Amino acid sequence: MITANEYTAVIEAGLEYWTEQVGRLSRVSTAELSHKLDSIIYLIQCSYGWPETLPQASNLILAIFPQVERYGWGSRLIPVLERVVALQTKQDFPERVRLLNRLGQLYRQQLRYTQAVQIHKESETIAKKLDKLSLLAETHFQLSEDYLRSHNLEKAEHYGLLSQSFFQDAVGFEKWESAIVNTLGLISFARKQYSKSEFYFRQSVLLSRQKEESIELARTLKNLALVSQEQKFFVQAEIFYNEALSYLEDNEIERCEVLNCLGALHFDQGNFELALNTFRKADAPALRYTGNIRLQTSLKYNIGLCLLRLHRFEDAIHALEQAVTLWKQVENFIELGRSLGKLGEAYNLVNRFEEAMLVYDEAIDIIRNYPLENSLLKTLNQSRSTIALKLVAS
């Protein structure tokens, strides 16, 4: 019969082995990596009842996290992270801050913004207690991202600038500096401050090139393309998108993100068939296994929009209704309001006026809560008035 000491020794050996093997996992197939991740998660779960193995389990989680994020498998790691963090409630140490930050990051990726903020606030408290300025700056970066995604731009900027004040002067943190500058660019972009956002994005691109951080570089190039696209500089935008794709040959989920944006560029230029094909290319089978509902929903909306412009109205309605249902699930209200508006347009084109009125009313009730979306609100009100006249006439 195996003793407790022998059992923990086996767990410790397994944890040590997989921690050493993590660097090699980038070279295996997606299917093989998924199988290995199951084995790693099982091993970590075996460590739950043994306090002496938890530090190694924590290190393995932190080591495997980039691969989990890369393949969009965060939903599989969340229960494990929650359990490990719960078992360490009486311990304040740097690894706990890092674990909490990763857990909050996964919550954010799942659009669970309130929980992300709560976890990162807990992490902030511990980092302050430990007087670890680099960990505090990392946590402030995470809070900036949380508030950006939940459209609280003032708090996003506040925490972003706090984070930047450390990273811009620190040595050896260029990756973090690039990331926070990119986030500050996104905050400016959300405020429609395009010159300011472009300044931040170009700074982030420079930092990423210096450190050869291909994923961060691709993300920032995509954001530079969005700025160009918003200002109708379509040729420049396509150059940025194609360069971003060149760094993502082995990262299918990030490629889907960029292809989604490239499809929108084709749409903005009136190339609806090309846009539709690009969106469908982005809607890859791998995406449906990642739990990335935001991207899946965005693609449903964009496919519906293309079908609408190609006068394939019933197909468009089906896609847009799916998008509306999914946006409600993840509580992304601005995109929900925008999708409802397009669904109302589709209903109108097939003479379903009463249904159009209902979705326009719902969209208006949502978008009036977002002052930066005044142009969208105006469009929705105008469309609703047109439908109201048709209903009176009928």
Side-chain angles (χ1 to χ4, degrees), residues 74-88:
S75 59
R76 294 166 67 178
L77 194 62
I78 284 176
V80 177
L81 253 173
E82 288 175 332
R83 181 63 173 161
V84 170
V85 166
L87 291 169
Q88 298 174 333

Side-chain angles (χ1 to χ4, degrees), residues 2-68:
I2 189 170
T3 66
N5 287 340
E6 290 171 332
Y7 182 74
T8 56
V10 170
I11 295 175
E12 288 174 344
L15 292 169
E16 183 178 353
Y17 169 80
W18 280 115
T19 302
E20 293 173 350
Q21 292 296 310
V22 164
R24 302 177 185 177
L25 295 182
S26 60
R27 297 189 291 272
V28 304
S29 68
T30 302
E32 185 179 353
L33 181 59
S34 179
H35 177 71
K36 292 183 184 299
L37 181 62
D38 288 336
S39 299
I40 290 170
I41 287 175
Y42 176 73
L43 181 62
I44 294 170
Q45 290 170 332
C46 289
S47 73
Y48 287 169
W50 309 94
E52 59 268 38
T53 67
L54 277 178
Q56 281 182 280
S58 300
N59 289 333
L60 179 53
I61 289 172
L62 294 171
I64 195 65
F65 190 89
Q67 298 293 347
V68 171

Side-chain angles (χ1 to χ4, degrees), residues 3 15 34 132 204 215 217 232 234 240 249 273 313 361:
T3 66
L15 292 169
S34 179
K132 293 286 186 179
S204 181
I215 301 301
L217 175 57
K232 312 300 182 187
F234 296 135
F240 285 137
E249 292 297 331
E273 284 286 1
F313 299 133
D361 284 341

Side-chain angles (χ1 to χ4, degrees), residues 211-233:
K211 295 298 291 183
E212 298 183 350
E213 295 286 350
S214 59
I215 301 301
E216 192 65 37
L217 175 57
R219 290 170 179 168
T220 310
L221 286 166
K222 179 198 72 176
N223 292 336
L224 265 175
L226 288 171
V227 174
S228 297
Q229 185 174 340
E230 194 67 27
Q231 298 175 92
K232 312 300 182 187
F233 303 146

